[in-house]
Amino acid sequence: MSLAPPAALNPAAAPAPKGGAAGAGAPLPNIAAITSGKGGVGKTFIAANLAAALARTGKRVLVLDADLGLANLDVVLNLYPKITLHDVFTGKNTLAEAILPAPGGFSVLLAGSGMVEYSRMTAEVREQLQALVAEVSPKFDHVLLDTGAGISDVVLYTVSLAAEVLVVATPEPTSLTDAYATIKVLAMTQGRRRVHLLVNQVRKPGEGRAVRAQLQQVVDRYVNPTLEAGSGSVRLEIMGEIPVDPAVREAVQRRQLLMETMPGTAAAIALINAAIRMPV
């Protein structure tokens, strides 16, 4: 599939939200947010399989389903949790009770689905999320925040808790446009100057690097000139490219981890290589 020309990445698609995203102080160093501009790019699948790849190296890994209200990590992992993040926030259960073992040797903290109260970032949810991340951070080598898609206040605040951010995109023009919007907003509201990029569903080797170069070109033209002098420029770092692989669809339909059931496939090997480059 040919890539969209840079002109298709409309700078107007990335308005800075009014008021920005209130951060929670200095992000903790072992926290990485996995996010995307557009839904449906495989973000949760990638978060789960990256965690499994990291766990294979002996790392203690937690994936926190931070897509509050529209959680689906449990579906990807074929888990049926009795205790969720909602139960922790309401005081019904403790955090220790909510952290569950997952296939692949890592831990998960699952969110409830369909919770309207988490569709916007209230002061109470902000404080609860910040306290939760601070509590789990010392217990794990890697904490991956599987955020929702887009640039809502919930997503942006969750990302602000992470030292590093990984944007998942595909070569599709709509995904590139939304990835650019996300990168611009993170640069303008959170002062992000380094953003990691993982390109999913590539059809030929090197397509991910071509996507990174295209996005960097648009960022250099429309974002970096607008930044405060002396604050540095936004640089995109390619963390990997995941090829189109029928094994991925099979694993998703079976609600299984690719790293567990088909670790020798092209997509699984690409995920292992991406895990090696994890920034935290």
Side-chain angles (χ1 to χ4, degrees):
M1 177 176 293
S2 60
L3 297 181
L9 300 177
N10 179 9
K18 295 179 180 179
L28 297 166
N30 63 330
I31 311 293
I34 301 178
T35 193
S36 65
K38 179 180 179 294
V41 298
K43 172 177 54 59
T44 296
F45 174 84
I46 284 171
N49 281 279
L50 278 179
L54 289 167
R56 285 163 65 104
T57 68
K59 300 292 186 182
R60 300 169 301 160
V61 185
L62 172 71
V63 181
L64 193 161
D65 195 343
D67 190 356
L68 304 179
L70 292 173
N72 60 7
L73 181 61
D74 56 332
V75 177
V76 170
L77 297 172
N78 199 27
L79 295 175
Y80 298 87
K82 294 182 179 179
I83 302 172
T84 68
L85 199 57
H86 173 71
D87 298 312
V88 177
F89 284 174
T90 57
K92 182 178 177 182
N93 293 92
T94 66
L95 178 58
E97 291 172 329
I99 295 176
L100 306 174
F106 58 96
S107 300
V108 292
L109 184 52
L110 301 171
S113 185
M115 301 293 184
V116 177
E117 59 265 42
Y118 301 123
S119 62
R120 61 189 183 88
M121 182 55 64
T122 64
E124 182 181 11
V125 174
R126 184 184 300 117
E127 292 170 4
Q128 289 173 324
L129 263 179
Q130 181 180 356
L132 185 147
V133 169
E135 186 173 347
V136 299
S137 175
K139 299 177 173 66
F140 296 92
D141 300 307
H142 296 274
V143 177
L144 308 183
L145 307 179
D146 180 22
T147 81
I151 53 175
S152 70
D153 56 350
V154 176
V155 172
L156 291 178
Y157 182 77
T158 304
V159 173
S160 78
L161 299 173
E164 301 288 350
V165 58
L166 168 61
V167 174
V168 178
T170 72
E172 297 286 348
T174 53
S175 176
L176 298 185
T177 299
D178 290 350
Y180 164 75
T182 297
I183 292 163
K184 177 178 179 181
V185 171
L186 291 175
M188 303 294 285
T189 66
Q190 297 186 12
R192 298 278 178 180
R193 296 298 180 264
R194 179 173 75 165
V195 175
H196 301 273
L197 181 70
L198 193 149
V199 184
N200 194 22
Q201 302 173 14
V202 304
R203 297 190 176 274
K204 57 185 178 181
E207 191 173 24
R209 293 191 177 277
V211 166
R212 180 261 164 202
Q214 182 176 335
L215 284 170
Q216 184 68 63
Q217 179 182 4
V218 181
V219 167
D220 287 342
R221 181 175 181 182
Y222 294 108
V223 178
N224 284 334
T226 69
L227 301 177
E228 185 178 351
S231 68
S233 58
V234 178
R235 304 302 302 170
L236 307 182
E237 297 186 5
I238 186 74
M239 208 180 92
E241 57 179 30
I242 313 301
V244 172
D245 188 337
V248 172
R249 180 176 178 82
E250 185 177 345
V252 170
Q253 289 181 330
R254 292 182 177 181
R255 298 171 68 172
Q256 296 174 333
L257 283 171
L258 186 68
M259 295 300 305
E260 286 284 284
T261 59
M262 293 171 275
T265 57
I269 293 170
L271 284 161
I272 291 171
N273 291 332
I276 293 171
R277 301 188 187 99
M278 277 296 293
V280 296

